Amino acid sequence: MDLWYTESHTDHVRFSLQVKEHLFTGESAFQKLDILDTYEYGKLMTLDGLVMVTEKDEFVYHDMIVHVSMAVNPDIKNVLVIGGGDGGTVRELMKYPNIVHVDMVEIDKLVVDAARKYFPAVSCEVDNPRVTVLYEDGIKFIKGKEAVYDLILIDSTDPIGPGEGLFTTEFYSDCYAALTENGILINQNETPVYEKFFEVGISSNKKLKKMFPSVHVYQANIPTYPGGYWLFNFASKKYHPINDLKEDQWNGLNIKTKYYNTDLHKGCFALPNYVKEKIEHGTF
Amino acid sequence: MDLWYTESHTDHVRFSLQVKEHLFTGESAFQKLDILDTYEYGKLMTLDGLVMVTEKDEFVYHDMIVHVSMAVNPDIKNVLVIGGGDGGTVRELMKYPNIVHVDMVEIDKLVVDAARKYFPAVSCEVDNPRVTVLYEDGIKFIKGKEAVYDLILIDSTDPIGPGEGLFTTEFYSDCYAALTENGILINQNETPVYEKFFEVGISSNKKLKKMFPSVHVYQANIPTYPGGYWLFNFASKKYHPINDLKEDQWNGLNIKTKYYNTDLHKGCFALPNYVKEKIEHGTF
């Protein structure tokens, strides 16, 4: 059988992967989840039909959502992950012996269960004693928390469905309060290649800038995401992402990474003009 | 009519764009050429069914094949472009008043003719008096030339069909001889995302390293190319691409670019570990 999975990146752009086997389909109260075994990218998880994780390129996203902040403040002790049910973000965090505790607040238990079964190399650290997995709504979870986390990673889906409330000023404001004075917040911030995604990214960046004194955008090449090109926000109460990079300290940790390194750290904040100017001035 | 163009990035990965109109199809002695008008990327040129240029994202490739070398040596006077029939590379070169002359050696007149008609904003400088367009085989053209060009840009297709001879040691050796002592050579060097492309890129890089004392790989995000992620080789007899960057001088030229800037110049050489280590050591 010639079986293909297709994601529509826009109404006019499609990305398709040939499938060996449709391994699982399920639906939670929040979303539809499918696991496919593909020829080129290995196993793949979709939520509501959109690629979340593939075995072949998940390392890019997980390296970049975690290590950039950790190399700015390798002394981070308490971390909150919002979303991240596949476990990849937690796996990277567990490489730091200094981290005392991670709360992973994933609204959808189905994502964690499916990752445990089909992505053991991604979910391998969710049972680490330093990790607490809470099946709760991150928006409600964070309300009222004050200065408890050194790092918040918003490892969310796009702002459609359960991810929607994770792109609001109210939520960012709650995150700000929940962060310590050294606090850093990172969120995935969509692709600049297609307008509908970039508008979300620009809006998220603007909202964060109203709260945090230091907000900077960085980039990574994620082949299975729309445009193959993804942005993240780095928002901090105190740190500049490059001037405060602890290059020697991070390299001294000897953490094995497949994408991230401290030269790339400095490079990933250097955005193309069309991205930089649209983020800074709203036009290009 | 619901019309879609599809490129197979590998046997198992397809990228598809919805088409408003199939504007042109033609065949030369060298290849098949089609022009499509797409909804998302505007007009698109394919050679043998593979995307070469789209109106929406051509600026990335053309900025990155030209400005990196020019910012290292803004005094470049004589340039050879091999391929580049769409004219985008020449358009960027013509932004430098210091450049005295460009030879553009394109084997296939059909590419230039089609670009003139369908991509006026790309081909707009091919008739500049500082440019000579030669419809010749670049491999033969370069033979026997000695120290005549300060810069050679290999703006080729993949090494299948007419592009094949542009990835050989013999050709690079002829380029080396044709370069002045300040000479820089840039070639497009495929994507690291898919093995069949990356093998070509690694091989090209190795061949150049046997000749040039300074060979460095840099990267760009080109959404319509396989993996959305493309590499280039910077090879020079003399210059280091970052240590010798003439940042102030280049910025003083006030050249308008949509992708390139001198911060990005420094950033684009910082490769992910999986790319860097495979290029340097052959494995990851």
Side-chain angles (χ1 to χ4, degrees), chain A residues 10 12 14 16 18 40-41 56 193-194 221 257-258 261 273-274, chain B residues 10 12 14 16 18 40-41 56 193-194 221 257-258 261 273-274:
Chain A
T10 76
H12 312 296
R14 291 179 184 160
S16 305
Q18 196 179 9
E40 187 69 48
Y41 283 92
K56 177 174 165 160
V193 174
Y194 301 119
N221 299 95
T257 50
K258 200 170 167 184
N261 58 61
N273 284 348
Y274 82 101
Chain B
T10 75
H12 311 296
R14 293 179 183 159
S16 305
Q18 196 179 9
E40 188 68 48
Y41 282 92
K56 177 172 165 160
V193 173
Y194 301 119
N221 300 96
T257 49
K258 201 169 167 185
N261 58 62
N273 284 348
Y274 82 100

PDB file of all heavy atoms in Angstrom, chain A residues 10 12 14 16 18 40-41 56 193-194 221 257-258 261 273-274, chain B residues 10 12 14 16 18 40-41 56 193-194 221 257-258 261 273-274:
ATOM      1  N   THR A  10       0.045  25.761   4.851  1.00  0.00           N
ATOM      2  CA  THR A  10      -0.942  26.822   4.643  1.00  0.00           C
ATOM      3  C   THR A  10      -2.003  26.182   3.745  1.00  0.00           C
ATOM      4  O   THR A  10      -1.889  25.005   3.395  1.00  0.00           O
ATOM      5  CB  THR A  10      -0.344  28.068   3.929  1.00  0.00           C
ATOM      6  OG1 THR A  10      -0.178  27.773   2.531  1.00  0.00           O
ATOM      7  CG2 THR A  10       0.990  28.485   4.527  1.00  0.00           C
ATOM      8  N   HIS A  12      -2.166  26.497   0.815  1.00  0.00           N
ATOM      9  CA  HIS A  12      -1.570  26.306  -0.510  1.00  0.00           C
ATOM     10  C   HIS A  12      -0.241  25.562  -0.498  1.00  0.00           C
ATOM     11  O   HIS A  12       0.437  25.494  -1.522  1.00  0.00           O
ATOM     12  CB  HIS A  12      -1.367  27.670  -1.185  1.00  0.00           C
ATOM     13  CG  HIS A  12      -2.570  28.548  -1.123  1.00  0.00           C
ATOM     14  ND1 HIS A  12      -3.746  28.222  -1.749  1.00  0.00           N
ATOM     15  CD2 HIS A  12      -2.797  29.724  -0.470  1.00  0.00           C
ATOM     16  CE1 HIS A  12      -4.647  29.165  -1.503  1.00  0.00           C
ATOM     17  NE2 HIS A  12      -4.107  30.081  -0.729  1.00  0.00           N
ATOM     18  N   ARG A  14       1.721  21.978   1.041  1.00  0.00           N
ATOM     19  CA  ARG A  14       1.565  20.695   1.718  1.00  0.00           C
ATOM     20  C   ARG A  14       2.901  19.987   1.855  1.00  0.00           C
ATOM     21  O   ARG A  14       3.744  20.051   0.963  1.00  0.00           O
ATOM     22  CB  ARG A  14       0.640  19.774   0.911  1.00  0.00           C
ATOM     23  CG  ARG A  14      -0.795  20.228   0.885  1.00  0.00           C
ATOM     24  CD  ARG A  14      -1.613  19.250   0.037  1.00  0.00           C
ATOM     25  NE  ARG A  14      -3.000  19.703  -0.090  1.00  0.00           N
ATOM     26  CZ  ARG A  14      -3.827  19.303  -1.048  1.00  0.00           C
ATOM     27  NH1 ARG A  14      -3.410  18.449  -1.965  1.00  0.00           N
ATOM     28  NH2 ARG A  14      -5.062  19.755  -1.097  1.00  0.00           N
ATOM     29  N   SER A  16       4.384  16.163   2.786  1.00  0.00           N
ATOM     30  CA  SER A  16       3.900  14.785   2.856  1.00  0.00           C
ATOM     31  C   SER A  16       5.025  13.801   3.135  1.00  0.00           C
ATOM     32  O   SER A  16       6.115  13.924   2.582  1.00  0.00           O
ATOM     33  CB  SER A  16       3.246  14.382   1.522  1.00  0.00           C
ATOM     34  OG  SER A  16       2.232  15.300   1.168  1.00  0.00           O
ATOM     35  N   GLN A  18       5.913   9.579   3.446  1.00  0.00           N
ATOM     36  CA  GLN A  18       5.430   8.223   3.183  1.00  0.00           C
ATOM     37  C   GLN A  18       5.438   7.405   4.474  1.00  0.00           C
ATOM     38  O   GLN A  18       6.389   7.472   5.261  1.00  0.00           O
ATOM     39  CB  GLN A  18       6.288   7.551   2.116  1.00  0.00           C
ATOM     40  CG  GLN A  18       5.594   6.317   1.545  1.00  0.00           C
ATOM     41  CD  GLN A  18       6.401   5.627   0.471  1.00  0.00           C
ATOM     42  OE1 GLN A  18       7.559   5.961   0.240  1.00  0.00           O
ATOM     43  NE2 GLN A  18       5.795   4.644  -0.178  1.00  0.00           N
ATOM     44  N   GLU A  40      11.160   8.234   6.233  1.00  0.00           N
ATOM     45  CA  GLU A  40      12.258   9.200   6.293  1.00  0.00           C
ATOM     46  C   GLU A  40      12.505   9.724   7.711  1.00  0.00           C
ATOM     47  O   GLU A  40      13.642   9.979   8.098  1.00  0.00           O
ATOM     48  CB  GLU A  40      11.952  10.390   5.372  1.00  0.00           C
ATOM     49  CG  GLU A  40      13.091  11.369   5.212  1.00  0.00           C
ATOM     50  CD  GLU A  40      14.275  10.805   4.436  1.00  0.00           C
ATOM     51  OE1 GLU A  40      14.063  10.220   3.364  1.00  0.00           O
ATOM     52  OE2 GLU A  40      15.409  10.942   4.916  1.00  0.00           O
ATOM     53  N   TYR A  41      11.452   9.922   8.477  1.00  0.00           N
ATOM     54  CA  TYR A  41      11.593  10.563   9.789  1.00  0.00           C
ATOM     55  C   TYR A  41      11.365   9.608  10.967  1.00  0.00           C
ATOM     56  O   TYR A  41      11.292  10.050  12.105  1.00  0.00           O
ATOM     57  CB  TYR A  41      10.670  11.785   9.885  1.00  0.00           C
ATOM     58  CG  TYR A  41      11.232  12.983   9.134  1.00  0.00           C
ATOM     59  CD1 TYR A  41      10.912  13.224   7.809  1.00  0.00           C
ATOM     60  CD2 TYR A  41      12.140  13.839   9.754  1.00  0.00           C
ATOM     61  CE1 TYR A  41      11.460  14.306   7.121  1.00  0.00           C
ATOM     62  CE2 TYR A  41      12.692  14.911   9.085  1.00  0.00           C
ATOM     63  CZ  TYR A  41      12.345  15.140   7.767  1.00  0.00           C
ATOM     64  OH  TYR A  41      12.893  16.203   7.095  1.00  0.00           O
ATOM     65  N   LYS A  56      13.461  11.503  13.918  1.00  0.00           N
ATOM     66  CA  LYS A  56      14.645  12.002  13.230  1.00  0.00           C
ATOM     67  C   LYS A  56      15.019  13.434  13.600  1.00  0.00           C
ATOM     68  O   LYS A  56      16.200  13.756  13.688  1.00  0.00           O
ATOM     69  CB  LYS A  56      14.439  11.897  11.715  1.00  0.00           C
ATOM     70  CG  LYS A  56      15.596  12.470  10.900  1.00  0.00           C
ATOM     71  CD  LYS A  56      15.458  12.231   9.408  1.00  0.00           C
ATOM     72  CE  LYS A  56      16.428  13.136   8.644  1.00  0.00           C
ATOM     73  NZ  LYS A  56      16.707  12.675   7.293  1.00  0.00           N
ATOM     74  N   VAL A 193       7.977  32.211   8.145  1.00  0.00           N
ATOM     75  CA  VAL A 193       7.852  31.993   6.691  1.00  0.00           C
ATOM     76  C   VAL A 193       6.426  32.227   6.207  1.00  0.00           C
ATOM     77  O   VAL A 193       6.211  32.746   5.116  1.00  0.00           O
ATOM     78  CB  VAL A 193       8.342  30.573   6.316  1.00  0.00           C
ATOM     79  CG1 VAL A 193       8.088  30.270   4.850  1.00  0.00           C
ATOM     80  CG2 VAL A 193       9.825  30.419   6.645  1.00  0.00           C
ATOM     81  N   TYR A 194       5.449  31.854   7.020  1.00  0.00           N
ATOM     82  CA  TYR A 194       4.055  31.993   6.610  1.00  0.00           C
ATOM     83  C   TYR A 194       3.347  32.964   7.551  1.00  0.00           C
ATOM     84  O   TYR A 194       3.437  32.844   8.771  1.00  0.00           O
ATOM     85  CB  TYR A 194       3.359  30.626   6.593  1.00  0.00           C
ATOM     86  CG  TYR A 194       4.042  29.642   5.661  1.00  0.00           C
ATOM     87  CD1 TYR A 194       4.594  28.452   6.138  1.00  0.00           C
ATOM     88  CD2 TYR A 194       4.145  29.916   4.300  1.00  0.00           C
ATOM     89  CE1 TYR A 194       5.230  27.566   5.279  1.00  0.00           C
ATOM     90  CE2 TYR A 194       4.792  29.035   3.434  1.00  0.00           C
ATOM     91  CZ  TYR A 194       5.333  27.865   3.937  1.00  0.00           C
ATOM     92  OH  TYR A 194       5.975  26.993   3.087  1.00  0.00           O
ATOM     93  N   ASN A 221      16.517  25.375  12.732  1.00  0.00           N
ATOM     94  CA  ASN A 221      16.061  24.703  11.511  1.00  0.00           C
ATOM     95  C   ASN A 221      15.404  23.387  11.864  1.00  0.00           C
ATOM     96  O   ASN A 221      16.095  22.421  12.188  1.00  0.00           O
ATOM     97  CB  ASN A 221      17.256  24.383  10.616  1.00  0.00           C
ATOM     98  CG  ASN A 221      17.973  25.640  10.218  1.00  0.00           C
ATOM     99  OD1 ASN A 221      18.946  26.033  10.854  1.00  0.00           O
ATOM    100  ND2 ASN A 221      17.463  26.296   9.219  1.00  0.00           N
ATOM    101  N   THR A 257      25.081  17.094  22.981  1.00  0.00           N
ATOM    102  CA  THR A 257      23.933  17.621  22.242  1.00  0.00           C
ATOM    103  C   THR A 257      24.160  17.386  20.758  1.00  0.00           C
ATOM    104  O   THR A 257      25.290  17.431  20.282  1.00  0.00           O
ATOM    105  CB  THR A 257      23.756  19.136  22.482  1.00  0.00           C
ATOM    106  OG1 THR A 257      25.023  19.770  22.272  1.00  0.00           O
ATOM    107  CG2 THR A 257      23.257  19.456  23.868  1.00  0.00           C
ATOM    108  N   LYS A 258      23.091  17.211  20.040  1.00  0.00           N
ATOM    109  CA  LYS A 258      23.198  16.910  18.606  1.00  0.00           C
ATOM    110  C   LYS A 258      23.029  18.179  17.770  1.00  0.00           C
ATOM    111  O   LYS A 258      23.419  18.228  16.608  1.00  0.00           O
ATOM    112  CB  LYS A 258      22.110  15.880  18.254  1.00  0.00           C
ATOM    113  CG  LYS A 258      22.359  15.124  16.978  1.00  0.00           C
ATOM    114  CD  LYS A 258      21.378  13.953  16.831  1.00  0.00           C
ATOM    115  CE  LYS A 258      21.424  13.393  15.414  1.00  0.00           C
ATOM    116  NZ  LYS A 258      20.435  12.330  15.202  1.00  0.00           N
ATOM    117  N   ASN A 261      25.265  24.131  20.406  1.00  0.00           N
ATOM    118  CA  ASN A 261      26.599  24.360  20.958  1.00  0.00           C
ATOM    119  C   ASN A 261      26.698  25.861  21.248  1.00  0.00           C
ATOM    120  O   ASN A 261      25.826  26.642  20.825  1.00  0.00           O
ATOM    121  CB  ASN A 261      27.707  23.850  20.018  1.00  0.00           C
ATOM    122  CG  ASN A 261      27.660  24.494  18.649  1.00  0.00           C
ATOM    123  OD1 ASN A 261      27.805  25.711  18.519  1.00  0.00           O
ATOM    124  ND2 ASN A 261      27.434  23.683  17.612  1.00  0.00           N
ATOM    125  N   ASN A 273      17.192  39.961   8.079  1.00  0.00           N
ATOM    126  CA  ASN A 273      16.541  41.278   8.123  1.00  0.00           C
ATOM    127  C   ASN A 273      15.019  41.197   8.083  1.00  0.00           C
ATOM    128  O   ASN A 273      14.339  41.917   8.817  1.00  0.00           O
ATOM    129  CB  ASN A 273      17.021  42.142   6.952  1.00  0.00           C
ATOM    130  CG  ASN A 273      18.417  42.684   7.195  1.00  0.00           C
ATOM    131  OD1 ASN A 273      18.950  42.615   8.305  1.00  0.00           O
ATOM    132  ND2 ASN A 273      19.031  43.226   6.158  1.00  0.00           N
ATOM    133  N   TYR A 274      14.468  40.340   7.226  1.00  0.00           N
ATOM    134  CA  TYR A 274      12.993  40.322   7.085  1.00  0.00           C
ATOM    135  C   TYR A 274      12.320  39.875   8.373  1.00  0.00           C
ATOM    136  O   TYR A 274      11.180  40.261   8.635  1.00  0.00           O
ATOM    137  CB  TYR A 274      12.547  39.461   5.895  1.00  0.00           C
ATOM    138  CG  TYR A 274      12.459  37.964   6.104  1.00  0.00           C
ATOM    139  CD1 TYR A 274      11.232  37.334   6.335  1.00  0.00           C
ATOM    140  CD2 TYR A 274      13.585  37.155   6.044  1.00  0.00           C
ATOM    141  CE1 TYR A 274      11.142  35.956   6.509  1.00  0.00           C
ATOM    142  CE2 TYR A 274      13.504  35.779   6.215  1.00  0.00           C
ATOM    143  CZ  TYR A 274      12.279  35.181   6.456  1.00  0.00           C
ATOM    144  OH  TYR A 274      12.197  33.825   6.630  1.00  0.00           O
TER     145      TYR A 274
ATOM    146  N   THR B  10      12.920  13.439  -1.104  1.00  0.00           N
ATOM    147  CA  THR B  10      13.547  12.113  -1.140  1.00  0.00           C
ATOM    148  C   THR B  10      12.447  11.193  -1.692  1.00  0.00           C
ATOM    149  O   THR B  10      11.350  11.667  -1.998  1.00  0.00           O
ATOM    150  CB  THR B  10      13.980  11.611   0.267  1.00  0.00           C
ATOM    151  OG1 THR B  10      12.819  11.188   0.988  1.00  0.00           O
ATOM    152  CG2 THR B  10      14.705  12.680   1.063  1.00  0.00           C
ATOM    153  N   HIS B  12      10.688   9.490  -0.055  1.00  0.00           N
ATOM    154  CA  HIS B  12       9.655   9.361   0.971  1.00  0.00           C
ATOM    155  C   HIS B  12       9.132  10.694   1.504  1.00  0.00           C
ATOM    156  O   HIS B  12       8.403  10.722   2.496  1.00  0.00           O
ATOM    157  CB  HIS B  12      10.200   8.536   2.144  1.00  0.00           C
ATOM    158  CG  HIS B  12      10.864   7.270   1.714  1.00  0.00           C
ATOM    159  ND1 HIS B  12      10.188   6.258   1.085  1.00  0.00           N
ATOM    160  CD2 HIS B  12      12.153   6.859   1.792  1.00  0.00           C
ATOM    161  CE1 HIS B  12      11.023   5.277   0.800  1.00  0.00           C
ATOM    162  NE2 HIS B  12      12.219   5.612   1.207  1.00  0.00           N
ATOM    163  N   ARG B  14       7.581  14.568   0.239  1.00  0.00           N
ATOM    164  CA  ARG B  14       7.101  15.407  -0.860  1.00  0.00           C
ATOM    165  C   ARG B  14       6.711  16.789  -0.365  1.00  0.00           C
ATOM    166  O   ARG B  14       6.144  16.936   0.721  1.00  0.00           O
ATOM    167  CB  ARG B  14       5.862  14.770  -1.509  1.00  0.00           C
ATOM    168  CG  ARG B  14       6.145  13.476  -2.233  1.00  0.00           C
ATOM    169  CD  ARG B  14       4.847  12.924  -2.828  1.00  0.00           C
ATOM    170  NE  ARG B  14       5.075  11.640  -3.471  1.00  0.00           N
ATOM    171  CZ  ARG B  14       4.120  10.745  -3.717  1.00  0.00           C
ATOM    172  NH1 ARG B  14       2.873  11.012  -3.365  1.00  0.00           N
ATOM    173  NH2 ARG B  14       4.408   9.605  -4.306  1.00  0.00           N
ATOM    174  N   SER B  16       4.574  20.151  -1.739  1.00  0.00           N
ATOM    175  CA  SER B  16       3.605  20.482  -2.792  1.00  0.00           C
ATOM    176  C   SER B  16       3.093  21.905  -2.654  1.00  0.00           C
ATOM    177  O   SER B  16       2.823  22.379  -1.545  1.00  0.00           O
ATOM    178  CB  SER B  16       2.403  19.537  -2.707  1.00  0.00           C
ATOM    179  OG  SER B  16       2.812  18.189  -2.756  1.00  0.00           O
ATOM    180  N   GLN B  18       0.233  24.702  -4.292  1.00  0.00           N
ATOM    181  CA  GLN B  18      -0.946  24.862  -5.135  1.00  0.00           C
ATOM    182  C   GLN B  18      -0.659  25.885  -6.233  1.00  0.00           C
ATOM    183  O   GLN B  18      -0.061  26.942  -5.979  1.00  0.00           O
ATOM    184  CB  GLN B  18      -2.155  25.284  -4.301  1.00  0.00           C
ATOM    185  CG  GLN B  18      -3.459  25.080  -5.059  1.00  0.00           C
ATOM    186  CD  GLN B  18      -4.675  25.472  -4.266  1.00  0.00           C
ATOM    187  OE1 GLN B  18      -4.567  26.066  -3.190  1.00  0.00           O
ATOM    188  NE2 GLN B  18      -5.843  25.167  -4.798  1.00  0.00           N
ATOM    189  N   GLU B  40       1.226  30.530  -2.880  1.00  0.00           N
ATOM    190  CA  GLU B  40       1.986  30.906  -1.684  1.00  0.00           C
ATOM    191  C   GLU B  40       3.336  31.536  -2.023  1.00  0.00           C
ATOM    192  O   GLU B  40       3.794  32.457  -1.336  1.00  0.00           O
ATOM    193  CB  GLU B  40       2.227  29.674  -0.806  1.00  0.00           C
ATOM    194  CG  GLU B  40       2.835  29.969   0.557  1.00  0.00           C
ATOM    195  CD  GLU B  40       1.894  30.707   1.481  1.00  0.00           C
ATOM    196  OE1 GLU B  40       0.738  30.297   1.605  1.00  0.00           O
ATOM    197  OE2 GLU B  40       2.322  31.713   2.088  1.00  0.00           O
ATOM    198  N   TYR B  41       3.984  31.062  -3.062  1.00  0.00           N
ATOM    199  CA  TYR B  41       5.351  31.505  -3.349  1.00  0.00           C
ATOM    200  C   TYR B  41       5.455  32.360  -4.612  1.00  0.00           C
ATOM    201  O   TYR B  41       6.552  32.673  -5.056  1.00  0.00           O
ATOM    202  CB  TYR B  41       6.295  30.296  -3.427  1.00  0.00           C
ATOM    203  CG  TYR B  41       6.668  29.781  -2.050  1.00  0.00           C
ATOM    204  CD1 TYR B  41       5.937  28.781  -1.428  1.00  0.00           C
ATOM    205  CD2 TYR B  41       7.730  30.344  -1.349  1.00  0.00           C
ATOM    206  CE1 TYR B  41       6.262  28.332  -0.149  1.00  0.00           C
ATOM    207  CE2 TYR B  41       8.063  29.909  -0.075  1.00  0.00           C
ATOM    208  CZ  TYR B  41       7.331  28.895   0.516  1.00  0.00           C
ATOM    209  OH  TYR B  41       7.662  28.467   1.774  1.00  0.00           O
ATOM    210  N   LYS B  56       8.883  34.467  -3.841  1.00  0.00           N
ATOM    211  CA  LYS B  56       8.793  34.750  -2.404  1.00  0.00           C
ATOM    212  C   LYS B  56      10.094  34.528  -1.651  1.00  0.00           C
ATOM    213  O   LYS B  56      10.420  35.288  -0.750  1.00  0.00           O
ATOM    214  CB  LYS B  56       7.686  33.892  -1.778  1.00  0.00           C
ATOM    215  CG  LYS B  56       7.567  34.054  -0.265  1.00  0.00           C
ATOM    216  CD  LYS B  56       6.360  33.353   0.323  1.00  0.00           C
ATOM    217  CE  LYS B  56       6.501  33.234   1.841  1.00  0.00           C
ATOM    218  NZ  LYS B  56       5.232  33.005   2.513  1.00  0.00           N
ATOM    219  N   VAL B 193      19.998  17.809   5.705  1.00  0.00           N
ATOM    220  CA  VAL B 193      18.855  17.110   6.308  1.00  0.00           C
ATOM    221  C   VAL B 193      18.664  15.717   5.720  1.00  0.00           C
ATOM    222  O   VAL B 193      18.296  14.781   6.432  1.00  0.00           O
ATOM    223  CB  VAL B 193      17.571  17.952   6.145  1.00  0.00           C
ATOM    224  CG1 VAL B 193      16.344  17.180   6.618  1.00  0.00           C
ATOM    225  CG2 VAL B 193      17.698  19.272   6.909  1.00  0.00           C
ATOM    226  N   TYR B 194      18.924  15.583   4.425  1.00  0.00           N
ATOM    227  CA  TYR B 194      18.729  14.289   3.774  1.00  0.00           C
ATOM    228  C   TYR B 194      20.057  13.767   3.255  1.00  0.00           C
ATOM    229  O   TYR B 194      20.807  14.493   2.600  1.00  0.00           O
ATOM    230  CB  TYR B 194      17.711  14.418   2.633  1.00  0.00           C
ATOM    231  CG  TYR B 194      16.366  14.918   3.120  1.00  0.00           C
ATOM    232  CD1 TYR B 194      15.837  16.112   2.651  1.00  0.00           C
ATOM    233  CD2 TYR B 194      15.642  14.196   4.067  1.00  0.00           C
ATOM    234  CE1 TYR B 194      14.610  16.584   3.104  1.00  0.00           C
ATOM    235  CE2 TYR B 194      14.416  14.660   4.528  1.00  0.00           C
ATOM    236  CZ  TYR B 194      13.901  15.854   4.044  1.00  0.00           C
ATOM    237  OH  TYR B 194      12.699  16.314   4.513  1.00  0.00           O
ATOM    238  N   ASN B 221      18.257  29.529   5.708  1.00  0.00           N
ATOM    239  CA  ASN B 221      16.924  28.923   5.724  1.00  0.00           C
ATOM    240  C   ASN B 221      16.201  29.234   4.428  1.00  0.00           C
ATOM    241  O   ASN B 221      15.738  30.362   4.246  1.00  0.00           O
ATOM    242  CB  ASN B 221      16.095  29.499   6.873  1.00  0.00           C
ATOM    243  CG  ASN B 221      16.751  29.236   8.194  1.00  0.00           C
ATOM    244  OD1 ASN B 221      17.468  30.077   8.717  1.00  0.00           O
ATOM    245  ND2 ASN B 221      16.549  28.044   8.706  1.00  0.00           N
ATOM    246  N   THR B 257      19.313  44.773   1.954  1.00  0.00           N
ATOM    247  CA  THR B 257      19.175  43.322   1.827  1.00  0.00           C
ATOM    248  C   THR B 257      17.996  42.857   2.668  1.00  0.00           C
ATOM    249  O   THR B 257      17.694  43.455   3.712  1.00  0.00           O
ATOM    250  CB  THR B 257      20.439  42.588   2.335  1.00  0.00           C
ATOM    251  OG1 THR B 257      20.779  43.117   3.620  1.00  0.00           O
ATOM    252  CG2 THR B 257      21.614  42.743   1.391  1.00  0.00           C
ATOM    253  N   LYS B 258      17.354  41.805   2.237  1.00  0.00           N
ATOM    254  CA  LYS B 258      16.161  41.317   2.931  1.00  0.00           C
ATOM    255  C   LYS B 258      16.519  40.179   3.891  1.00  0.00           C
ATOM    256  O   LYS B 258      15.782  39.872   4.811  1.00  0.00           O
ATOM    257  CB  LYS B 258      15.156  40.829   1.876  1.00  0.00           C
ATOM    258  CG  LYS B 258      13.736  40.756   2.361  1.00  0.00           C
ATOM    259  CD  LYS B 258      12.758  40.519   1.202  1.00  0.00           C
ATOM    260  CE  LYS B 258      11.386  40.135   1.723  1.00  0.00           C
ATOM    261  NZ  LYS B 258      10.454  39.778   0.643  1.00  0.00           N
ATOM    262  N   ASN B 261      22.713  40.288   6.915  1.00  0.00           N
ATOM    263  CA  ASN B 261      23.270  41.423   7.643  1.00  0.00           C
ATOM    264  C   ASN B 261      24.562  40.925   8.290  1.00  0.00           C
ATOM    265  O   ASN B 261      24.830  39.706   8.304  1.00  0.00           O
ATOM    266  CB  ASN B 261      22.266  42.016   8.664  1.00  0.00           C
ATOM    267  CG  ASN B 261      21.800  40.996   9.676  1.00  0.00           C
ATOM    268  OD1 ASN B 261      22.606  40.459  10.450  1.00  0.00           O
ATOM    269  ND2 ASN B 261      20.496  40.724   9.693  1.00  0.00           N
ATOM    270  N   ASN B 273      25.752  20.853  15.852  1.00  0.00           N
ATOM    271  CA  ASN B 273      26.733  19.760  16.039  1.00  0.00           C
ATOM    272  C   ASN B 273      26.623  18.673  14.983  1.00  0.00           C
ATOM    273  O   ASN B 273      27.636  18.189  14.477  1.00  0.00           O
ATOM    274  CB  ASN B 273      26.563  19.134  17.426  1.00  0.00           C
ATOM    275  CG  ASN B 273      27.152  20.009  18.511  1.00  0.00           C
ATOM    276  OD1 ASN B 273      27.872  20.970  18.228  1.00  0.00           O
ATOM    277  ND2 ASN B 273      26.838  19.698  19.756  1.00  0.00           N
ATOM    278  N   TYR B 274      25.404  18.262  14.646  1.00  0.00           N
ATOM    279  CA  TYR B 274      25.277  17.123  13.718  1.00  0.00           C
ATOM    280  C   TYR B 274      25.818  17.455  12.339  1.00  0.00           C
ATOM    281  O   TYR B 274      26.277  16.570  11.620  1.00  0.00           O
ATOM    282  CB  TYR B 274      23.825  16.615  13.638  1.00  0.00           C
ATOM    283  CG  TYR B 274      22.869  17.356  12.719  1.00  0.00           C
ATOM    284  CD1 TYR B 274      22.558  16.872  11.451  1.00  0.00           C
ATOM    285  CD2 TYR B 274      22.258  18.542  13.114  1.00  0.00           C
ATOM    286  CE1 TYR B 274      21.669  17.536  10.613  1.00  0.00           C
ATOM    287  CE2 TYR B 274      21.373  19.205  12.279  1.00  0.00           C
ATOM    288  CZ  TYR B 274      21.076  18.708  11.030  1.00  0.00           C
ATOM    289  OH  TYR B 274      20.196  19.372  10.201  1.00  0.00           O
TER     290      TYR B 274
END
